[in-house]
């Protein structure tokens, strides 16, 4: 059975809005895949960065694919997700990420989330992750309120029903055998000084 690591990078954590979306996705995924949830804020509260690196490596290695999720905070993804990206930079282009598909879900009130989604998909793809077609969405309070009013425009808003499509496209991508190649990646310390 294929394995999916679900990373919650939000500030709201287990009781937040983003987790609600992840719980819906869990229902769509049913028992077709094995799921493990990783609540990044909680994880980084309980582990130093030094402890986190091997544990994250173990979890990423276990996974065949990922769901990344976050709220929108001042036009950006959550600080726990940023920390994750910073400390897994050393895995860029490597087997832990390379060619594994990811769905991405973002929540927000009204503005900024689509930028977060597009930039996050771009970052993940540059790290080596496969972004399947129609595998990311933004669920917003604004969209939710708009959909509650019946309208011929409704299909233009992301809704909870789209989560079924997103999980389907993720699971489909898990089945595809690929032969991608990685370009060379500089694995020296990315924090080293280059201005002298
Ligand atoms: C500090 C902070 C900043 C926020 N900034 C934005 C924003 O820029 N745009 C927006 O639409 N919503 C913004 N929101 C609303 C959250 O994105 C939204 O409630 C989201 O679903 C929160 O997810 P969570 O409960 O999982 O943390 C912000 C919320 C907080 C707490």
């Amino acid at each position: 059975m294929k394995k999916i690591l679900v990373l919650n990078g939000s500030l709201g954590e287990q009781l937040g809005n983003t987790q609600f979306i992840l719980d819906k996705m869990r229902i769509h995924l049913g028992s077709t895949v094995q799921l493990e949830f990783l609540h990044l804020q909680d994880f980084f509260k309980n582990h130093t960065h030094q402890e986190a690196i091997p544990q994250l490596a173990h979890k990423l290695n276990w996974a065949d694919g990922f769901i990344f999720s976050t709220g929108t905070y001042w036009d950006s993804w959550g600080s726990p997700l940023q920390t994750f990206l910073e400390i897994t930079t050393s895995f860029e282009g490597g087997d832990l990420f390379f060619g594994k598909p990811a769905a991405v879900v973002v929540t927000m009130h009204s503005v900024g989330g689509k930028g977060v989604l597009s930039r996050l998909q771009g970052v993940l793809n540059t790290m080596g992750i496969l972004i399947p077609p129609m595998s990311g969405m933004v669920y917003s309070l604004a969209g939710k309120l708009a959909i509650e009013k019946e309208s011929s425009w409704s299909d233009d808003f992301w809704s909870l029903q789209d989560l079924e499509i997103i999980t389907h496209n993720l699971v489909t991508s898990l089945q595809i055998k690929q032969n991608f190649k990685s370009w060379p990646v500089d694995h020296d310390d990315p924090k080293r000084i280059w201005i002298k």
Side-chain angles (χ1 to χ4, degrees), residues 92-118:
E92 178 187 350
D95 290 346
L96 299 181
F97 285 135
F98 195 75
K100 296 181 181 179
V104 181
V105 284
V106 176
T107 63
M108 68 167 176
H109 279 173
S110 56
V111 278
K114 181 58 171 73
V116 170
L117 174 67
S118 299

Side-chain angles (χ1 to χ4, degrees), residues 178-191:
Q178 313 123 2
N179 189 23
F180 297 122
K181 282 184 182 174
S182 166
W183 56 53
V185 175
D186 170 7
H187 281 298
D188 280 348
D189 180 6
K191 288 186 251 165

Side-chain angles (χ1 to χ4, degrees), residues 20-45:
F20 178 88
I21 303 293
L22 295 178
D23 290 338
K24 291 268 175 227
M25 291 179 92
R26 190 208 301 252
I27 293 168
H28 288 301
L29 287 164
S31 52
T32 54
V33 292
Q34 239 178 297
L35 290 180
E36 184 179 327
F37 282 75
L38 177 57
H39 297 281
L40 290 172
Q41 181 158 258
D42 203 36
F43 181 77
F44 289 125
K45 251 187 236 157

Side-chain angles (χ1 to χ4, degrees), residues 8 10-13 16-19 70-76 107-113:
N8 185 344
S10 73
L11 302 183
E13 276 287 316
N17 298 287
T18 310
Q19 184 61 38
T70 181
T72 303
Y73 313 97
W74 293 113
D75 286 357
S76 284
T107 63
M108 68 167 176
H109 279 173
S110 56
V111 278

Side-chain angles (χ1 to χ4, degrees), residues 22-181:
L22 295 178
D23 290 338
K24 291 268 175 227
M25 291 179 92
R26 190 208 301 252
I27 293 168
H28 288 301
L29 287 164
S31 52
T32 54
V33 292
Q34 239 178 297
L35 290 180
E36 184 179 327
F37 282 75
L38 177 57
H39 297 281
L40 290 172
Q41 181 158 258
D42 203 36
F43 181 77
F44 289 125
K45 251 187 236 157
N46 294 311
H47 299 88
T48 64
H49 288 191
Q50 253 189 339
E51 289 165 355
I53 291 174
Q55 292 203 28
L56 287 175
H58 183 74
K59 289 176 189 297
L60 295 169
N61 184 49
W62 170 85
D64 299 302
F66 310 105
I67 297 172
F68 284 88
S69 66
T70 181
T72 303
Y73 313 97
W74 293 113
D75 286 357
S76 284
W77 48 74
S79 46
L81 183 54
Q82 178 64 20
T83 303
F84 171 86
L85 294 172
E86 286 168 14
I87 73 172
T88 58
T89 298
S90 55
F91 306 148
E92 178 187 350
D95 290 346
L96 299 181
F97 285 135
F98 195 75
K100 296 181 181 179
V104 181
V105 284
V106 176
T107 63
M108 68 167 176
H109 279 173
S110 56
V111 278
K114 181 58 171 73
V116 170
L117 174 67
S118 299
R119 286 187 294 112
L120 184 53
Q121 287 179 317
V123 169
L124 296 174
N125 181 258
T126 307
M127 283 179 127
I129 284 176
L130 177 73
I131 304 296
M134 298 203 173
S135 61
M137 72 175 255
V138 182
Y139 188 60
S140 68
L141 171 61
K144 178 177 177 290
L145 294 176
I147 294 166
E148 279 166 10
K149 270 190 155 250
E150 234 173 75
S151 156
S152 59
W153 294 93
S154 297
D155 278 351
D156 246 12
F157 293 87
W158 270 306
S159 74
L160 294 176
Q161 281 158 3
D162 295 315
L163 293 171
E164 194 267 323
I165 309 288
I166 283 165
T167 49
H168 171 87
N169 290 339
L170 174 62
V171 170
T172 298
S173 299
L174 286 172
Q175 316 304 330
I176 299 169
K177 224 177 150 33
Q178 313 123 2
N179 189 23
F180 297 122
K181 282 184 182 174

